[in-house]
Amino acid sequence: MKKLLFILAISAAATISAQTTQKLTANKLNEYGLIYNLPVTAVDVTVEAEHTIKTPGEFRLYAKKYLGIEPIMEPVEEWSVKNVQLSTRGIANQREDYLMQLKNGSNTFIMIADNGCLLSVNNDLAMPPAKPTKPAPVKLQPSILTTPVAAQAVTQDMLQATSVAKKAQLAAAKIYELRQSRNDIISGNADQMPSDGDAMKLVLENLEQQEAVLTAMFTGTVQNGTSVRTYTFVPDSLGTSEVVARVSVTNGPVSINDLSGMPIYLNIKVDSRGELPKNEKGETKKYPKGALAYCVPGQATFTAVMNGNVLASLSTEVAQFGVVFGLDPALFTDKKTPAYAIFDPATGAIREFGTRNSR
C-alpha cells in the first residue's frame, strides 16, 4: 500500500455538509465497468481547550483582613487542554481507482459516497458514517463586575469614599449586612417579609448577587470559556508517532506548524494487520478477475499524549494496516439470487453480505 501521510487542521465551527450518495448502474455507456475508490482511515483529533482569565479585585489587599480569604493578586490569562476526543472516518484514496468489470446485460449497481468511495453493491441502504458528538465552544463568561447588579451593590458611601481602604471597609460592612438580611428573611425575622414564595426567591437571589459582586471586589474574578478545534491525521501504512495538534498557553489551539503551542502526540500501535483470505488448504486465494475490491483492515490503537499524560485512546480498524482483496463479480450478477454487500465507510471492509432473495 502506498505511503500516505498528511495532516490537516480544520475549524470545528466550519459547516460540514451531509454525505450524499450516487447510484451507478452497469450499462453499455460505461461498458459494464463500474469505477470507485476505497477509503483510507483518517483520525480526527478534537481538542477542547479552556480559556481562563483571572483578574485581581480592587480590594485584594484587604481580602484577608475583612473576609479571611486568599485573593487573586496578579492578572492571569491562559489556555489549557480540557478534553481530547479521537474518532475515525474514511476519506477517498484518490491515488487508486478500482474497476468492477461485469458482463454484458448485467443489472448490477453500486452506491458510492460523494467522495467516490464504495458504500454498497445491489443495495440502496448504505452504512451511515459515524458521527461522534463533539463539544460545542463556550463563549467567555462576562465578569460579574460588569453585570447590572454590580451598580446596585455599590453604595453611595463607597462612591464618595476618598481612599481604597475606606471603600474596602464599607464594602465589607455591606457584605455582612446583606448576609444578615438574608438570614432574617430565611428565619422569618425580617421587618418586611416578601409577600409569597416567588417574591422571597427573587429577593434572596438579589441579595446573593449583590454579595457576590462585593466579594469579587476582594477576591477578584475568574472568567472561563472554551474553544474547539479538530485536527485530521491520516496515518501511513507503517504506524508512527506524530505531532497532530498544538495548544498555546496564550492563544489556545493553533496550527501544528506554530511552535508556540505545546504539541499533542498521537502514538500509533499496530495491533494486527489485515491478511489475504485463504482457501480450505490454507493457501492464499487469488484475486478474482474484474473483482469488486474491498479492504481487509488491520487493527490499531491510537493514543493522544501531551507532556507525558494520556489524553485519549482509541482502538479501531484501520484500512492502511490491511490489504485489498476482491469478490468475484459473478456473485452480484446471478439472475436468481444476486448477492449484495454493504461496506464500512471508514475502512472499506465488508459489514454485511448476502443474497437479495434471502433478506
Side-chain angles (χ1 to χ4, degrees), residues 23 40-41 70 78 87 97 101 149 179 181 203 213 238 244 271 278 295 300:
K23 184 177 183 179
V40 290
T41 305
E70 294 288 343
E78 60 186 2
S87 59
D97 294 331
Q101 189 62 55
V149 73
R179 291 177 180 176
S181 297
V203 171
V213 168
L238 300 177
V244 294
D271 300 314
K278 292 179 171 53
C295 182

Side-chain angles (χ1 to χ4, degrees), residues 6 19-20 26 75 97 104 112 121 125 160 166 205 216 227-228 235 292 341-342 351:
F6 59 91
Q19 174 171 296
T20 58
D97 294 331
N104 188 349
I112 62 172
V121 183
L125 301 176
Q160 293 177 344
K166 183 60 176 179
E205 287 179 352
S227 176
V228 179
L292 174 80
I342 299 176
R351 285 293 173 256

Side-chain angles (χ1 to χ4, degrees), residues 189-239:
N189 295 324
D191 293 336
Q192 294 183 346
M193 289 292 295
S195 58
D196 55 31
D198 290 339
M200 177 181 289
K201 181 179 179 181
L202 289 174
V203 171
L204 291 176
E205 287 179 352
N206 182 264
L207 293 175
E208 290 175 1
Q209 290 173 354
Q210 288 190 57
E211 181 182 343
V213 168
L214 294 172
T215 301
M217 293 180 178
F218 289 90
T219 61
T221 59
V222 179
Q223 299 166 260
N224 293 299
T226 62
S227 176
V228 179
R229 183 167 181 171
T230 296
Y231 303 80
T232 299
F233 171 71
V234 181
D236 62 21
S237 60
L238 300 177

